[in-house]
Amino acid sequence: MNKTLLALAVLSALSLTACDRPATVVTVPTPVAVPGPAGPQGPSGGTGATGDAGATGATGNTGSTGYTGATGDTGATGKSGGGATVIVLPAASSAN
């Protein structure tokens, strides 16, 4: 009878182990936040502060040389001297 009782104990232990099912894990989905209707518009914000003055820019390049102007008209002929002789003296030199 001891052998029968021992065999019965081994069979019941094996049958219980075979029936052992792991616990089912139920994953609950995370609730997703759904936005509600928009609220009333808030008041306008105040005027912002004035920004700092910008830095002075670099000096520009020198411009190109201009074109030569048009030639002027020839002057009118002068009045004749009427026979008088004009003597032109050289300029006085300065003595250093």
Side-chain angles (χ1 to χ4, degrees):
M1 171 129 158
N2 279 341
K3 290 183 180 182
T4 309
L5 194 55
L6 181 62
L8 189 60
V10 169
L11 283 176
S12 20
L14 287 175
S15 66
L16 286 177
T17 345
C19 292
D20 186 25
R21 292 186 294 176
T24 306
V25 178
V26 178
T27 307
V28 179
T30 307
V32 177
V34 177
Q41 183 176 358
S44 297
T47 303
T50 303
D52 296 334
T56 303
T59 304
N61 296 333
T62 303
S64 302
T65 304
Y67 295 109
T68 303
T71 305
D73 294 336
T74 304
T77 306
K79 182 180 173 186
S80 56
T85 304
V86 178
I87 300 174
V88 178
L89 299 174
S93 61
S94 60
N96 286 340

